[in-house]
Amino acid sequence: MSELQDLVALIRANTPLIVIETRDEARVVELFRQALMQVWRALYSWSITEGLRRIDFDRAEATDVAPDASATLAAIRAAEQRGIYLLFDFHPYLGYASTQRQLRDIVQRHDAGTDKGMPHVLVLVGHEVRLPPELDLLAVRYTPRLPDAAARLKIVREEAEAYAREHGGRRVEADGAAVQEIVRNLRGLDPVDVRRIARQLIYNDGALGANDLPELARLKFELLNRSGHLHFEFDSARMEDVAGARRLKRWIDQRRSVFLGAEAPAGLDPPRGMLLLGVQGCGKSMLAKAVAAGFGVPLVRLDFGTLYDKFHGETEKNLRTALASAEQLEPCVLWIDEIEKGLAADSGNSDGGVSRRVLGYLLTWMAERRSRVFLVATANQIDALPAELLRKGRFDEIFFIDLPDAETRAQLFALHLRKRGLDPEAFDLGGLATASDGFSGAEIEQAIVAALFSAHAAQAALSDFLLRAELRQTRPLSVLMAEQVSALREWARGRTVAAD
């Protein structure tokens, strides 16, 4: 059924108490006025500032009822005509026992053998409506549907027309393809937020184009991430900034069009996620950022450390909120860094079973989600991950990021030298790659940084000699933690897909 039909059904059923959580009060009023065309009731609105008014006519008519909550409920109970009462921000007054009792008397009018007045429909409207438990059990929560693509496009056009009126008829320059992309990316927002973001994009420069998409992603993220559990990664790496990982890059390239497409081709499911396992310092975080750039979508990072709360049930609630926010940001890449630290396998006793419940909800979300949120999880310790997360089907693929080979190490030297304004052609990249056998990408970068400090102290230019000297003085992780690194590489062989 449509949104309006759902509402009409509730009114026809004489639902005594409806709760609507929204910031768009005008839309609620308009919905109920439309519903009156199919099922007639007297329609009233109430607020503490304007009191009780009848609003089912073209003009609102004030009543002589005092604006306080108790007098309003007394008037509703005494009314001799069935009515719909939209009570805006009424719930704070339910903290008083007398007001709560009055409301319960009206709501429970259908009790057998009682006659408590006409079957009114009371509607509590607010941004966040929290009811006492005894009232919450009696309420039906109705959620207005979010605007579809046609409604969002209409709002964007209205804002463009408003801009033209304010600027002497100057029309908004609009790229048709970019406008469709903007409308698509406004999905998941209510009409108020769609209008606000559309207005901001238009009024920035009087145009709508592809250059507005990054700003739209930022505005949408700031709007949805009220919990603070997600972090918007502004500096996503380009695929060409990553050395090696040829197989992983090809995997992303093959799936880009299916992930971004409105509908997947027959027989193909949209890509859902990958686990990046590897030796520390070998570029898992860089690759997570590059995946977002490869798909051409925003990257948001979920910090498991911020989810955990000492109060029972709050941790799971925080995870649900964070994942719901990520879904509203679709299409996007959701990155969970060092996932083993948040989902470490245990007996369920050390933290009261919180980790197990968090894992359970995450696995359910991974299996049932339909949104275009591509999950990238990174991990360093495979033995700390629960077996349920690793079974086939949880991730599309598990890639292993190994220590770089000689060719990749030469690319890493070139990338980091170029990043610091130096010409890689002036260095013996092949010789440096040989000298850095067993080094990770992070260790190669730090060797360059240390050599630059040595060159600065000696007031000399960076040279192969200084770079080799730093490499000789460094003991890489593959030497310091040889047993652990070897065990991880051995486990990954035959169980994962090599990224390079």
Side-chain angles (χ1 to χ4, degrees), residues 89-283:
D89 295 328
F90 191 86
H91 52 285
Y93 302 99
L94 296 175
Y96 298 99
S98 59
T99 307
Q100 188 178 140
R101 183 69 254 178
Q102 282 182 290
L103 183 62
R104 290 188 67 187
D105 286 342
I106 297 172
V107 168
Q108 297 179 132
R109 63 183 180 276
H110 295 306
D111 289 354
T114 63
D115 181 12
K116 296 185 179 180
M118 299 299 294
H120 303 299
V121 176
L122 275 60
V123 186
L124 302 181
V125 184
H127 174 56
E128 186 176 1
V129 181
R130 294 185 178 180
L131 299 179
E134 55 270 31
L135 283 176
D136 202 34
L137 292 173
L138 302 172
V140 173
R141 291 187 176 262
Y142 171 80
T143 304
R145 298 184 186 179
L146 297 173
D148 58 16
R152 297 194 300 272
L153 180 59
K154 181 175 180 289
I155 293 173
V156 173
R157 285 174 173 168
E158 288 173 353
E159 289 305 312
E161 292 167 1
Y163 177 88
R165 288 194 300 270
E166 291 182 20
H167 292 78
R170 175 189 167 192
R171 298 185 62 181
V172 174
E173 297 178 14
D175 179 322
V179 170
Q180 292 300 322
E181 188 71 11
I182 288 171
V183 169
R184 185 168 65 84
N185 280 276
L186 288 170
R187 178 183 177 186
L189 301 180
D190 63 32
V192 172
D193 293 326
V194 170
R195 189 174 300 279
R196 183 177 67 80
I197 291 180
R199 182 183 301 123
Q200 186 163 343
L201 295 178
I202 290 170
Y203 280 71
N204 278 344
D205 55 6
L208 288 174
N211 60 322
D212 287 310
L213 294 173
E215 177 67 5
L216 188 157
R218 184 187 67 81
L219 292 171
K220 189 175 179 182
F221 172 80
E222 291 178 351
L223 180 69
L224 296 175
N225 188 38
R226 297 185 178 95
S227 66
H229 302 306
L230 297 177
H231 303 275
F232 193 91
E233 296 290 330
F234 291 95
D235 300 322
S236 59
R238 299 174 302 171
M239 277 294 185
E240 51 266 34
D241 293 334
V242 180
R246 291 178 289 267
R247 186 176 284 111
L248 187 150
K249 292 176 181 177
R250 185 168 58 252
W251 193 94
I252 292 295
D253 189 58
Q254 291 173 344
R255 289 159 176 77
R256 182 187 301 110
S257 61
V258 177
F259 179 68
L260 296 178
E263 294 184 6
L268 284 180
D269 294 327
R272 301 170 65 81
M274 64 171 62
L275 174 64
L276 303 181
L277 173 68
V279 182
Q280 292 186 9
C282 287

Side-chain angles (χ1 to χ4, degrees), residues 12-59:
R12 282 181 173 153
N14 291 322
T15 306
L17 184 61
I18 301 174
V19 174
I20 300 179
E21 293 186 333
T22 181
R23 293 176 299 146
D24 195 351
E25 296 180 352
R27 185 175 178 224
V28 171
V29 172
E30 182 59 29
L31 272 173
F32 276 91
R33 280 179 167 159
Q34 292 177 22
L36 295 187
M37 300 179 69
Q38 300 185 41
V39 52
W40 171 250
R41 298 286 191 279
L43 181 62
Y44 295 85
S45 73
W46 176 90
S47 70
I48 192 62
T49 54
E50 295 185 343
L52 192 63
R53 300 184 303 157
R54 186 164 182 174
I55 60 172
D56 49 30
F57 302 111
D58 291 338
R59 291 183 299 176

